[in-house]
Amino acid sequence: MPVVKAKPRTIDEYLATAGAKQRDVLEKLRRTIHSAAPGAEEYIGYGLAGFKLNGRPLVYFGAWASHCALYAASPAIQKKFQNELAGFEQSKGTIRFTPEEPLPVALVKKLVKARIAENAR
């Protein structure tokens, strides 16, 4: 009978499944998100580490085999910061990065604050 892994219920449990390098960069990302969005609630959504503010989804992040990702949940936000995101692989709502080349803290704060403003509209 196959072993069934329990789905993570918290971000701590989610991070425990990531590799050491990914875990370190995602912990820093987590702290940065909290810094930019005081009062944001952590949760697991869509199988990813997520943050809600005022009951609305804000951003998510995830760890994959060859990269990490920040899900800014808004193509409009990505377009607004396209010049600053130019060095990172992107698709609709997704910004990929590696532990060796993480997203800059200042950029993450800008992305999160832009999402807060977007949600407020």
Side-chain angles (χ1 to χ4, degrees):
M1 187 171 247
V3 175
V4 177
K5 291 185 179 181
K7 291 183 180 180
R9 293 169 291 161
T10 66
I11 291 182
D12 286 330
E13 289 176 4
Y14 181 89
L15 291 172
T17 67
K21 286 183 182 180
Q22 290 173 316
R23 187 170 35 255
D24 289 343
V25 75
L26 293 177
E27 282 284 6
K28 185 175 181 180
L29 182 61
R30 179 188 198 183
R31 289 189 302 272
T32 302
I33 293 166
H34 277 296
S35 172
E41 299 174 53
E42 295 184 349
Y43 75 109
I44 299 296
Y46 305 104
L48 299 166
F51 297 81
K52 287 183 184 178
L53 187 63
N54 301 321
R56 299 190 68 191
L58 189 61
V59 295
Y60 300 88
F61 66 71
W64 303 98
S66 62
H67 67 277
C68 297
L70 176 67
Y71 302 90
S74 169
I77 298 297
Q78 282 178 255
K79 185 174 182 176
K80 181 177 179 177
F81 294 99
Q82 65 185 346
N83 291 339
E84 292 173 79
L85 291 168
F88 297 97
E89 184 183 340
Q90 300 174 64
S91 60
K92 186 177 179 181
T94 306
I95 304 161
R96 291 176 195 83
F97 58 95
T98 63
E100 296 77 26
E101 292 187 41
L103 289 169
V105 169
L107 178 56
V108 171
K109 287 183 178 184
K110 288 179 190 179
L111 293 166
V112 171
K113 288 179 186 283
R115 280 289 297 144
I116 293 169
E118 186 177 64
N119 276 352
R121 286 182 281 218

